[in-house]
Amino acid sequence: MAVVEVKRPKLAPAGMRLGDVMRVGAVGLRTRPLRAFLSALGIAIGIAAMVGVVGLSSSSGAELDRTLSALGTNLLTVASGTTLTGEAAQMPKDAEAMIERIGPVEAASAVAKISAAKVYRSEQIPEAQTGGIATYAARLDLPATVGATLRSGTWLNQATERYPAAVLGSAAAQRLGIGAVSQDTQVVVGGQRFSVVGVLNPVALATDLDSGVMVGWPVAEERLDFDGHPTTLYTRSEEAQLEAVRQVLAGTANPEAPNEVDVSRPSDALAAKQATSQAFANLLLGVGAVALLVGGVGVANTMVISVLERRSEIGLRRSLGATRGQIRTQFLAESLLLSAMGGAGGVLLGTAVTMGYALYSGWPSVVPAWATGGGLAATLAIGAMAGLYPAIRASRLSPTEALSTP
């Protein structure tokens, strides 16, 4: 009688769907919630630092762009330089009028620093305590040219520019202890009392004015021994012709000695300030990266300890038919879930910090999508690297070895 050999199909181990992988991977996190929280916290701090730094830098840049758009980037400053012998140069009295004749120039105004006129709150203040406040003779159209606004009171007009009236810069008002203008508010300028008629807000494109006291041109010539020579000229020009105007300003302001005139663009100084802030932001990003690395080490440590503590579970699963690949997938999924929780928490925390600080500072709130997406991607990459070795180690445990371990 012939024996018929029946071939039985080989049974492949059951595969794990994505939902099963996530469910099994979450088991270890649910059984040790405090340890999981502390490990995720390390990741969250690093991601929050990175997202917060990028968000605050972007918000600050957006505020700078908004400020420049409001004030305009077509302001050029012409200032007296030095002579070949190192002495302070002097611009002609008609320098402002000559600059106004340049075709693309839309507006021009001038101030003159009067070094001999010291400013004090009263005559009782010691002479040495000037507070670093400068006195400027100013033209009536200065605020419109430099974009200055008043916090209190009014600007000089055709009547007050001939009388002892003064407008304080924001920093000067603070140093003098003057918050708002009243009818009896006075300061001593050059040994004479001047009535304070206005206080300026900070002037972004002419910061020298913040620590100055502005008086009218005629009263400065009459009472403060002002010689009539301007020290700084501010010009607004057509945006398209800005560089062409910049090239001829020095020669126009002082035809006899153009080398004794300095021409600058205040918006460039603001951009340089933003670049400095960006360098500081890069430093903070490095700190955030270190925090993220420390968080990754914490995740790796948690996963290694988890493998050691759960060897009996690993042995039981292997005895019931789980493959090495499934064990490896389980622990790798646990590491990724742990990192993803930390990353999501860090993104939310960093975004909240950015929005809160931007709201407090009056900035537009900007959190780039690449920062949040990159933060989550970084956490998953770190989670994969941190969990790879523990996952491989767990998969290499034989069932007998794992079950025999107490």
Side-chain angles (χ1 to χ4, degrees):
M1 183 175 179
V3 179
V4 179
E5 182 179 358
V6 179
K7 293 184 177 180
R8 296 180 179 180
K10 294 182 178 180
L11 297 177
M16 295 179 67
R17 292 172 301 196
L18 180 61
D20 298 330
V21 171
M22 295 294 103
R23 190 162 46 252
V24 172
V27 170
L29 304 183
R30 289 198 301 267
T31 55
R32 298 167 181 82
L34 181 59
R35 182 186 296 171
F37 171 76
L38 293 177
S39 299
L41 183 62
I43 291 285
I45 291 173
I47 291 299
M50 296 179 69
V51 172
V53 167
V54 173
L56 291 177
S57 299
S58 300
S59 299
S60 176
E63 173 64 15
L64 176 64
D65 293 338
R66 187 173 70 174
T67 300
L68 291 179
S69 297
L71 296 177
T73 57
N74 62 339
L75 179 68
L76 294 174
T77 301
V78 183
S80 300
T82 57
T83 63
L84 295 176
T85 58
E87 299 175 352
Q90 197 174 54
M91 280 193 288
K93 292 183 179 180
D94 57 350
E96 182 182 356
M98 291 190 292
I99 286 177
E100 288 177 337
R101 288 197 288 267
I102 300 175
V105 171
E106 298 172 340
S109 189
V111 297
K113 186 175 182 179
I114 309 172
S115 301
K118 305 299 183 183
V119 181
Y120 303 94
R121 187 66 178 87
S122 71
E123 293 87 350
Q124 308 305 318
I125 303 298
E127 185 177 347
Q129 296 181 11
T130 61
I133 302 173
T135 301
Y136 293 99
R139 297 295 192 187
L140 298 182
D141 55 359
L142 179 66
T145 305
V146 300
T149 58
L150 284 157
R151 187 177 72 197
S152 177
T154 60
W155 179 250
L156 302 170
N157 54 45
Q158 292 183 349
T160 56
E161 72 167 345
R162 300 181 178 277
Y163 295 95
V167 175
L168 309 183
S170 59
Q174 184 179 8
R175 294 171 195 170
L176 292 169
I178 299 174
V181 176
S182 65
Q183 187 175 359
D184 300 325
T185 305
Q186 293 183 334
V187 293
V188 177
V189 181
Q192 302 181 53
R193 282 189 168 269
F194 277 65
S195 297
V196 177
V197 296
V199 177
L200 295 177
N201 287 312
V203 186
L205 297 182
T207 54
D208 289 345
L209 302 180
D210 293 340
S211 57
V213 172
M214 277 62 69
V215 300
W217 207 274
V219 74
E221 292 179 320
E222 180 181 343
R223 299 197 178 200
L224 301 179
D225 296 327
F226 172 46
D227 59 9
H229 291 275
T231 55
T232 305
L233 299 171
Y234 300 98
T235 68
R236 293 279 186 179
S237 306
E238 296 176 12
E239 194 74 41
Q241 302 294 325
L242 192 63
E243 288 304 320
V245 172
R246 191 175 185 178
Q247 296 296 324
V248 301
L249 272 179
T252 305
N254 193 349
E256 295 183 359
N259 59 299
E260 297 178 359
V261 176
D262 297 327
V263 180
S264 62
R265 187 174 180 177
S267 57
D268 291 341
L270 288 179
K273 181 180 178 181
Q274 177 65 15
T276 303
S277 300
Q278 184 61 43
F280 184 66
N282 292 337
L283 174 62
L284 293 180
L285 274 177
V287 174
V290 172
L292 191 60
L293 179 61
V294 172
V297 173
V299 171
N301 182 59
T302 297
M303 296 308 302
V304 170
I305 294 177
S306 181
V307 169
L308 294 176
E309 291 180 344
R310 296 162 62 188
R311 282 180 292 187
S312 58
E313 175 195 335
I314 295 169
L316 181 60
R317 287 176 57 81
R318 293 279 282 125
S319 300
L320 293 176
T323 65
R324 288 186 174 184
Q326 290 172 341
I327 297 295
R328 188 165 52 245
T329 301
Q330 172 190 349
F331 281 88
L332 191 57
E334 186 174 326
S335 176
L336 288 173
L337 282 173
L338 186 60
S339 299
M341 286 194 312
V347 167
L348 292 176
L349 180 60
T351 302
V353 168
T354 299
M355 294 179 66
Y357 189 84
L359 181 64
Y360 172 77
S361 302
W363 298 349
S365 180
V366 179
V367 180
W370 65 264
T372 56
L376 289 174
T379 58
L380 293 178
I382 286 179
M385 290 186 291
L388 187 59
Y389 169 73
I392 293 174
R393 180 173 179 175
S395 67
R396 288 179 177 175
L397 288 174
S398 64
T400 55
E401 177 187 357
L403 289 172
S404 62
T405 303

